[in-house]
Amino acid sequence: MFTIRLASGKEARIHAGHPWIYRSEIARVDDEGEPGAIAHVRDNRGRFLGQATVNLKSQIAGRLLTRQEEPVDAVFFDRRIREAVSRCGRSVRGEDACRLIFGEADHLPGLIVDRYHDLLVIQILTAGMERVREVILEVVKRVVQPRAIYERNDALPRKLEGLELHKGYAWGEGETGIWIREGDLSFFVEVAEGQKTGFFLDQRENRQVVKRLAKGREVLDCFCYSGGFALSAAGGGAASVIGVDLSAEAIAWAERSAQRNGLASRCTFTAANAFDALRAFDREDRRFGLVILDPPAFTKGKETLAGALRGYKEINLRAMKLLAPGGILVTCSCSYHVDASMFLDMLRAAAADARRVFHLVELRTQASDHPVLLAAKETQYLKCAILETLN
Ligand code: SAH
């Protein structure tokens, strides 16, 4: 039987509730299976710890599926998927779009499933999940009963697992550009061409906060993508909204959604570099009542952390300077390597340089359909600070 035995002492993380086993922690491999095959995991003294999908090509060689000696079959995945879908149903009510399955945090490592109305978008990120792809598709179809399932297996982490990149319908067919409702707004989502699986579902709850804060304010949404925050602000009664994103395609989607919601007269979207736009507004002495910063992850590793923090500080410093008295900054980071305390320290340094005094009104995180596994810090990646100036 395919079994991995951990080096002495390396079982602690597993005992603490974390699902990962690094390749360097494996002392012995017996009857090695294909990449992604399920192995029994034992500590150095031979005690059973659980069953994991194991891909020795990847740094994260093992991902625990269960701590029981149970069959890992269609019945197992049916139970896990139903649990995840029901967890999502308890946190998201009455919304068209949500994350049904969030990989490790839903005890299904390597699997992402997002729902956009009646269309599901699935992402398989590990060799372990790839091996059970057919089973997963069957169970998901039965449990969720979607119109179609689109597969976004063009995500780069697949390369680390030795998997090829591809996308397309896994089942069913139809338009890949669809309309979803979020609260009382409609958003255009392109599941084949968009970022991630098409929409930033992780910011849903933060968009509601922006909606409440925006009334009567002049708003600047930097890194606006398809207009999630910008349109939420406009919907919440902002006086005017400017959205800036580098992607002309995303800007076109934002404009389309602005039209559909009857908000176009108060919204201006521009395809531009947000760093340049912030600098230009500063030169013009423009002031805003609400600035939103939601940049892409500036670092995906520890090596580039210092540079990333300089980037975050630069945009935050510039945004702080643009705030009118009483202005609000909603500032985010989705870099897992920048943790909440580093993020706040960066904001303190930016505020000091900007000579502005702020209340930290709230420090928020990802929407609750992206659950956080207490033992796995990696599952909590989004920071969203809400700062309000006095001066
Ligand atoms: N706030 C959005 C998600 C933003 S994702 C939402 O809630 O939907 C980050 C965005 O930053 C992407 O759309 C990407 O196109 C954009 N981007 C990356 N680098 C940029 C830059 N230098 N200037 C402006 N936009 C940039």
Side-chain angles (χ1 to χ4, degrees), residues 260-311:
R260 173 92 163 211
N261 291 290
L263 298 170
S265 63
R266 278 184 287 134
C267 297
T268 312
F269 291 100
T270 312
N273 187 321
F275 285 81
D276 297 341
L278 285 165
R279 233 172 273 142
F281 285 131
D282 191 23
R283 271 199 305 271
E284 295 165 18
D285 272 332
R286 273 290 292 265
R287 291 291 175 267
F288 295 91
L290 172 60
V291 177
I292 298 141
L293 295 176
D294 185 20
F298 286 164
T299 174
K300 298 228 151 76
K302 282 201 190 92
E303 320 73 47
T304 47
L305 186 58
L309 284 169
R310 280 195 297 276

Side-chain angles (χ1 to χ4, degrees), residues 296-313 333-339 342 346:
F298 286 164
T299 174
K300 298 228 151 76
K302 282 201 190 92
E303 320 73 47
T304 47
L305 186 58
L309 284 169
R310 280 195 297 276
Y312 285 119
K313 186 178 166 192
S333 163
C334 58
S335 300
Y336 154 68
H337 293 280
V338 175
D339 68 20
M342 283 182 220
M346 176 278 296

Side-chain angles (χ1 to χ4, degrees), residues 182-201:
E182 185 178 273
D184 52 7
L185 293 174
S186 296
F187 286 99
F188 181 73
V189 178
E190 222 314 324
V191 301
E193 301 303 326
Q195 299 210 26
K196 302 232 263 187
T197 63
F199 198 56
F200 286 81
L201 296 169

Side-chain angles (χ1 to χ4, degrees), residues 195 199-200 203 207 221 223-229 244-247 250 272-275 294-296:
Q195 299 210 26
F199 198 56
F200 286 81
Q203 293 283 24
R207 283 192 284 271
D221 179 8
F223 311 92
C224 68
Y225 184 55
S226 58
F229 281 116
V244 178
D245 197 283
L246 208 48
S247 157
N273 187 321
F275 285 81
D294 185 20

Side-chain angles (χ1 to χ4, degrees), residues 140-171:
V140 162
K141 253 189 260 177
R142 192 167 61 232
V143 173
V144 189
Q145 307 205 330
R147 167 177 64 82
I149 304 178
Y150 193 87
E151 204 168 18
R152 279 299 296 270
N153 285 349
D154 54 341
L156 292 178
R158 279 176 65 93
K159 286 195 181 170
L160 305 174
E161 291 273 325
L163 299 169
E164 89 297 3
L165 306 188
H166 66 93
K167 60 182 174 180
Y169 274 103
W171 174 71

